[in-house]
Amino acid sequence: MFEDTYIHKGLRKRMVSALQQKGITDSKVLEVMNKVPRHCFLDSSFANIAYEDRAISILCNQTISQPSTVAFQTQLLKLEPRMRVLEIGTGSGYQTAVLNAYDLKLFTVERQKDLYDKAQKTFATLNIHPQCFYGDGYKGLEGYAPFDRILVTCGAPQIPEALLTQLKVGGIMVIPVGDKVQKMLRLTRVTETDFHKEVFGDYTFVPMLENKAR
Ligand code: SAH
């Protein structure tokens, strides 16, 4: 499962071309997604479809986001090296690994214990070391705030207040907001009290739920 063969590399190249055709223009995003072995974040029975542009089931009834969504959210973040970045919804850890390739101070929170445990094992095997937390992303990570960037990878019914508070002035949060279908929002904290909001297309994420699951 953790072997990265020339077949995987070839499929990944094809995935990256497809991302370009779908409008991903940021060369760093494309470079990083060409590197991270998405098949390593999935059950081995899904290895043959790992590089198709689709969401795939992981543990706890959750899904790994589809590559074009991961690429688009990453592009919206406008990342720069050494930024403090908080991700809500570790899930399989694939998006975390994409962020990790940017040389960030990276923190990620997951409310499902089984996913949190599994992602940590995957990270260890791939020798990457984001700081992982088992907790409720609605609360953010107060002790580690403020953040330059916050990325939410589950569909939030509304924007969590704590996350707004934990964003630096000048910082950016990318978050899908809505019930069944979400609008992708990019919020830039312009001053202590003002946020500039940009609205992108419609997406369907698994829901952002309150409190830790078991
Ligand atoms: N970035 C992940 C996406 C997984 S799906 C990946 O690439 O695989 C979204 C994840 O958000 C799920 O694992 C779900 O359990 C988690 N989630 C939902 N609500 C949450 C919350 N309040 N705090 C932390 N994680 C949450």
Side-chain angles (χ1 to χ4, degrees), residues 27-69:
S27 57
K28 178 77 178 169
V29 174
L30 296 166
E31 179 196 315
V32 164
M33 292 197 55
N34 196 33
K35 277 194 198 140
V36 180
R38 189 170 187 257
H39 65 281
C40 298
F41 296 85
L42 293 166
D43 189 274
S44 55
S45 59
F46 293 125
N48 59 335
I49 56 164
Y51 295 101
E52 291 177 13
D53 193 19
R54 52 190 276 191
I56 299 172
S57 298
I58 52 176
L59 297 176
C60 309
N61 251 336
Q62 304 301 312
T63 55
I64 180 172
S65 301
Q66 69 188 80
S68 54
T69 303

Side-chain angles (χ1 to χ4, degrees), residues 31-182:
E31 179 196 315
V32 164
M33 292 197 55
N34 196 33
K35 277 194 198 140
V36 180
R38 189 170 187 257
H39 65 281
C40 298
F41 296 85
L42 293 166
D43 189 274
S44 55
S45 59
F46 293 125
N48 59 335
I49 56 164
Y51 295 101
E52 291 177 13
D53 193 19
R54 52 190 276 191
I56 299 172
S57 298
I58 52 176
L59 297 176
C60 309
N61 251 336
Q62 304 301 312
T63 55
I64 180 172
S65 301
Q66 69 188 80
S68 54
T69 303
V70 171
F72 188 59
Q73 288 199 293
T74 308
Q75 180 169 280
L76 286 179
L77 280 173
K78 299 198 267 190
L79 294 167
E80 289 179 28
R82 287 172 290 287
M83 282 183 161
R84 279 180 94 76
V85 179
L86 172 65
E87 178 195 30
I88 305 299
T90 316
S92 67
Y94 174 64
Q95 169 79 72
T96 321
V98 167
L99 298 175
N100 187 70
Y102 278 80
D103 183 24
L104 307 168
K105 295 190 192 83
L106 182 55
F107 307 84
T108 183
V109 182
E110 173 57 57
R111 70 182 285 279
Q112 295 278 0
K113 182 74 165 64
D114 289 349
L115 283 169
Y116 162 82
D117 288 340
K118 176 117 194 278
Q120 298 225 71
K121 282 190 197 135
T122 311
F123 295 144
T125 312
L126 295 173
N127 198 24
I128 61 177
H129 307 283
Q131 289 203 48
C132 302
F133 298 83
Y134 167 48
D136 177 5
Y138 272 99
K139 302 189 176 74
L141 274 183
E142 213 185 338
Y144 298 84
F147 300 99
D148 296 292
R149 299 289 185 264
I150 298 178
L151 173 62
V152 179
T153 71
C154 37
Q158 72 280 320
I159 303 166
E161 201 55 43
L163 298 184
L164 290 175
T165 316
Q166 293 175 23
L167 195 59
K168 280 187 194 169
V169 172
I172 292 175
M173 170 153 66
V174 172
I175 177 168
V177 178
D179 288 326
K180 286 207 171 75
V181 177
Q182 294 87 37

